[in-house]
């Protein structure tokens, strides 16, 4: 799987939007962009995924650059419960195992 | 009801022992996985398994072996435990239906080898 680059950590204030960036300049045409998050002392949790178009679900939005070399996970209103490590992952097809990078540790301040 | 469960939650044992961690999923999924999260918090895939195929990450020592008594279970057996095996182990599963792009993770088992 191609590599992703994320900032080590980010801070946000509660109730404000958060934009978590991810660079994946070596992405191939068949790679899906997945986001998972890991809350403290829990297993990873699926957040969202996309291929080319922007995606929205109840948890977040995913904005994908036109050249697909970067993407941004958007949390519209951060809450304290959103404090977690967020992982951006590229996956070639549904059967592939996930390759986690270092992720971004999001801290949310009240 | 817990979708993916693991037992035990904590496991403390001596070097050289053999131990097992159990994983069960009640989601009707076809594929299950084992991941290892080390002290630096990096998550690494160990195995992917469905009823047809076992895929092993080549970096996993052969002291580790997955055993699947049925589709809902994938247990992890570890022989001759070493200090470096101390980590949190996560089980996950994935189905082939609407949520086929999502892996559902268990709560983890923290293994400490003394």
């Amino acid at each position: 799987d191609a590599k992703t680059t994320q900032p080590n950590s980010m801070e946000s204030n509660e109730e404000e939007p958060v934009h978590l960036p991810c660079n994946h300049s070596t992405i191939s045409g068949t790679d899906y962009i997945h986001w998972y998050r890991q809350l403290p002392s829990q297993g990873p949790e699926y957040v969202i995924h996309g291929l080319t178009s922007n995606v929205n679900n109840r948890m977040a939005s995913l904005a994908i650059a036109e050249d697909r070399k970067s993407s941004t996970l958007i949390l519209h209103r951060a809450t304290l419960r959103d404090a977690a490590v967020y992982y951006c992952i590229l996956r070639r097809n549904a059967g592939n195992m996930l390759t986690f990078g270092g992720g971004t540790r999001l801290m949310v301040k009240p | 009801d817990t979708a993916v469960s693991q037992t035990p939650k904590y496991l403390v044992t001596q070097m050289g022992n053999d131990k097992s961690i159990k994983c069960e999923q009640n989601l009707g999924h076809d594929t299950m996985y084992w991941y290892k999260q080390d002290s630096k918090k990096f998550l690494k895939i160990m195995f992917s398994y469905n009823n047809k195929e076992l895929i092993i990450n080549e970096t996993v020592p052969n002291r580790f072996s997955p055993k699947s008594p049925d589709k809902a279970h994938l247990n992890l057996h570890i022989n001759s435990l070493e200090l470096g095996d101390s980590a949190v182990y996560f089980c996950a599963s994935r189905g082939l239906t609407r949520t086929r792009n999502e892996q559902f993770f268990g709560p983890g088992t923290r293994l400490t080898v003394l």
Side-chain angles (χ1 to χ4, degrees):
Chain A
D1 290 326
K3 187 175 175 174
T4 62
T5 305
Q6 300 177 251
N8 287 335
S9 63
M10 289 184 65
E11 269 190 7
S12 170
N13 293 318
E14 199 176 8
E15 305 287 315
E16 291 184 356
V18 181
H19 291 235
L20 297 164
C22 180
N23 287 322
H24 28 78
S25 57
T26 58
I27 191 171
S28 76
T30 55
D31 285 338
Y32 285 80
I33 302 161
H34 285 248
W35 284 81
Y36 279 74
R37 72 179 185 180
Q38 187 173 20
L39 279 65
S41 301
Q42 293 188 29
E45 173 188 30
Y46 169 85
V47 178
I48 200 166
H49 79 281
L51 183 61
T52 56
S53 304
N54 294 344
V55 184
N56 299 298
N57 66 20
R58 63 175 179 80
M59 288 181 72
S61 295
L62 176 59
I64 302 173
E66 197 169 330
D67 63 5
R68 301 210 325 127
K69 294 187 176 182
S70 65
S71 60
T72 303
L73 179 71
I74 303 165
L75 306 179
H76 295 287
R77 287 179 67 206
T79 69
L80 296 178
R81 289 176 297 176
D82 290 322
V85 178
Y86 286 78
Y87 297 97
C88 170
I89 302 163
L90 300 183
R91 200 183 58 166
R92 196 130 296 175
N93 61 56
N96 276 10
M97 300 177 283
L98 298 175
T99 302
F100 287 80
T104 296
R105 180 173 297 279
L106 175 65
M107 292 167 280
V108 180
K109 296 182 292 184
Chain B
D1 283 343
T2 304
V4 181
S5 59
Q6 296 178 226
T7 54
K9 188 170 175 63
Y10 300 97
L11 181 55
V12 181
T13 188
Q14 300 286 333
M15 273 176 54
N17 284 349
D18 302 336
K19 289 293 178 184
S20 295
I21 304 172
K22 294 185 178 181
C23 177
E24 177 181 1
Q25 53 94 4
N26 62 6
L27 299 167
H29 286 172
D30 297 280
T31 305
M32 297 182 72
Y33 308 84
W34 277 104
Y35 290 82
K36 177 182 179 181
Q37 187 165 40
D38 60 25
S39 57
K40 295 182 180 178
K41 303 297 185 184
F42 286 108
L43 267 158
K44 295 181 182 176
I45 182 68
M46 301 177 71
F47 305 101
S48 165
Y49 182 82
N50 64 24
N51 59 4
K52 299 173 185 175
E53 187 178 20
L54 171 64
I55 300 174
I56 303 171
N57 184 324
E58 61 187 14
T59 66
V60 175
N62 58 15
R63 297 181 295 103
F64 290 79
S65 58
K67 297 275 194 309
S68 180
D70 55 58
K71 199 171 85 164
H73 296 83
L74 184 67
N75 303 325
L76 181 65
H77 295 266
I78 316 169
N79 294 326
S80 303
L81 278 156
E82 300 178 357
L83 293 177
D85 297 333
S86 295
V88 181
Y89 292 84
F90 290 99
C91 175
S93 71
R94 184 180 66 85
L96 296 176
T97 57
R98 183 178 57 84
T99 59
R100 64 185 179 278
N101 289 296
E102 302 175 35
Q103 287 189 22
F104 292 78
F105 284 79
T109 295
R110 181 175 294 278
L111 171 64
T112 303
V113 182
L114 304 175

